[in-house]
Amino acid sequence: MKRYRRISYEKRIKIETYQEMGYNKSQIALELGVHRSSITREFQKYRDSQEIYRASYAHKKATHAAKTRRYGKRILIQKPTIQKYVHLYLKLGWSPKQIQHRLILDYPENPAMHVSHETIYQYIYVLPRGELKKTLIEGLRRKHKYRRTKKKEAQDEELRGKIKDMLSIHERPAEVADRIVPGHWESDLIIGKYKRSAIATLVERTTRYTIIVPLPKGKGALEVREALTEAVSQIPLHLRRTLTHDQGKEMSQHKEFSSASNMQVYFADPASPWQRGTNENTNGLIRQYFPKGTDFSLVSPDEIRYVQDLLNGRPRQSLD
């Protein structure tokens, strides 16, 4: 007994071709290696308004039907009350996860009003093209036109070269992972247009307090070290314990930085952004204000400070 498999676009093109050649359903099924009933269903469900089978029309209709089967009974589609709530907060720049937890706070006794952040994402991206979908995507942090799967960015450690005398993240004190004692920071660069400009970001792991550091002189190791040293000099000494960075060459002067700042630098593993998850998440928030393609050489320190203050004043799920 042959196992049913969904018909691909390539097979639909062959179905259309065999049909024009005068093949009957059984002959088409034999040529494609599928059951005759699959071809019968295909003709019954996906013919156009003129009752003619066309591969492009059939595939478009089948794709839409698959989405409808998957998402059609979602609570956001069924309940306009939740739709209105989600639309409101997306337009205010709240993330789906923040909306999810706000619904729980606002309707603690009504589970029917609770939806997951994943459901909100799926709802947005299954909407047909139009102003509503465009508006809701504009409220998302990264504003992707299409839903993207999480990808692990390939980084070649040999090409990048190793930083001399670096300490691995696995050598950090255990208290860093606990997030109980403040003073442990994560850092990174956000690169600007044509990779010619950048800003540095510092995030404290316990409080999520964020510092955005302008880099007007450049993003080389010397410029980054000097800018970060000046930025952390404003932090009380007892809140300067460790700093975790990726293995970017901009931190190759880490020993000089540690000496000047009294902060031990540790380095995350290559291609492991989750090891600096707080910083990665914060960079995503910053990208709402400085999207890809921003030339940071044209952004004033006042603008950067304004965005920093906005981030430090917004609600944080992790801090309740």
Side-chain angles (χ1 to χ4, degrees):
M1 179 178 175
K2 291 184 177 179
R3 185 180 176 185
Y4 172 70
R5 298 180 188 277
R6 298 197 185 280
I7 296 178
S8 66
Y9 182 52
E10 290 74 17
K11 284 189 176 181
R12 288 191 166 105
I13 293 174
K14 291 180 180 179
I15 290 173
E16 181 181 344
T17 302
Y18 290 138
Q19 176 191 237
E20 292 174 348
M21 293 170 63
Y23 284 34
N24 62 34
K25 295 172 186 175
S26 297
Q27 290 171 322
I28 294 174
L30 185 63
E31 290 290 338
L32 296 182
V34 300
H35 197 278
R36 184 182 186 280
S37 62
S38 296
I39 304 302
T40 301
R41 280 194 301 269
E42 188 75 11
F43 282 136
Q44 288 175 344
K45 294 169 67 175
Y46 301 132
R47 286 178 293 186
D48 62 19
S49 59
Q50 297 178 340
E51 296 298 309
I52 298 173
Y53 183 86
R54 301 295 182 197
S56 58
Y57 176 83
H59 194 68
K60 183 177 180 180
K61 192 173 180 181
T63 302
H64 178 73
K67 285 185 177 181
T68 302
R69 284 193 298 273
R70 185 175 178 184
Y71 304 117
K73 296 183 180 179
R74 294 289 187 191
I75 193 170
L76 276 171
I77 295 174
Q78 291 180 326
K79 298 198 173 183
T81 303
I82 304 181
Q83 276 188 42
K84 186 176 180 180
Y85 189 102
V86 169
H87 291 180
L88 171 64
Y89 284 100
L90 282 173
K91 291 173 184 177
L92 291 176
W94 287 41
S95 72
K97 202 157 192 177
Q98 288 172 322
I99 297 172
Q100 170 194 342
H101 287 276
R102 189 69 203 183
L103 278 165
I104 295 172
L105 289 175
D106 287 350
Y107 302 96
E109 306 298 329
N110 188 1
M113 288 293 291
H114 301 171
V115 296
S116 71
H117 66 281
E118 182 62 28
T119 296
I120 296 174
Y121 276 117
Q122 291 175 352
Y123 164 72
I124 294 169
Y125 283 100
V126 80
L127 287 171
R129 290 184 184 178
E131 283 303 312
L132 176 59
K133 184 171 187 175
K134 183 178 178 182
T135 301
L136 297 183
I137 289 177
E138 280 297 314
L140 297 177
R141 184 178 305 164
R142 292 182 173 84
K143 300 178 177 59
H144 294 156
K145 291 183 179 179
Y146 306 98
R147 191 78 199 275
R148 298 185 180 184
T149 57
K150 292 182 179 179
K151 295 180 181 179
K152 186 177 179 181
E153 295 183 358
Q155 296 180 351
D156 189 337
E157 187 176 347
E158 293 300 322
L159 290 177
R160 296 185 70 178
K162 283 202 171 186
I163 297 173
K164 188 177 180 181
D165 298 325
M166 66 178 185
L167 290 177
S168 167
I169 189 173
H170 304 291
E171 300 176 69
R172 284 190 320 189
E175 69 177 32
V176 181
D178 295 335
R179 295 183 186 268
I180 296 174
V181 179
H184 300 288
W185 298 73
E186 296 176 5
S187 62
D188 196 11
L189 296 190
I190 296 180
I191 305 300
K193 189 175 184 180
Y194 303 133
K195 300 183 179 181
R196 293 174 183 168
S197 60
I199 53 176
T201 58
L202 291 160
V203 188
E204 204 282 312
R205 284 175 53 84
T206 302
T207 63
R208 275 62 168 185
Y209 185 78
T210 300
I211 300 174
I212 306 177
V213 185
L215 296 172
K217 297 180 181 179
K219 54 186 177 66
L222 174 61
E223 292 80 9
V224 170
R225 189 252 295 175
E226 291 178 344
L228 290 182
T229 300
E230 182 179 353
V232 300
S233 69
Q234 309 301 314
I235 303 171
L237 189 60
H238 69 281
L239 294 178
R240 284 186 257 157
R241 299 177 186 273
T242 69
L243 179 69
T244 303
H245 200 85
D246 64 17
Q247 294 189 27
K249 299 292 281 187
E250 67 273 1
M251 193 52 80
S252 58
Q253 294 192 10
H254 63 96
K255 293 180 71 174
E256 293 83 349
F257 170 80
S258 294
S259 178
S261 65
N262 201 41
M263 296 176 73
Q264 181 61 62
V265 179
Y266 295 90
F267 291 88
D269 296 329
S272 304
W274 59 87
Q275 293 180 341
R276 298 177 304 100
T278 304
N279 193 214
E280 289 289 322
N281 179 66
T282 302
N283 286 352
L285 296 175
I286 293 171
R287 279 296 190 190
Q288 286 184 272
Y289 304 97
F290 301 128
K292 287 185 178 180
T294 298
D295 185 347
F296 289 112
S297 66
L298 302 178
V299 179
S300 71
D302 287 342
E303 290 179 85
I304 290 176
R305 182 57 185 267
Y306 174 71
V307 171
Q308 176 180 301
D309 291 344
L310 285 177
L311 291 176
N312 289 325
R314 68 185 287 158
R316 294 279 185 158
Q317 173 196 336
S318 57
L319 302 178
D320 197 23

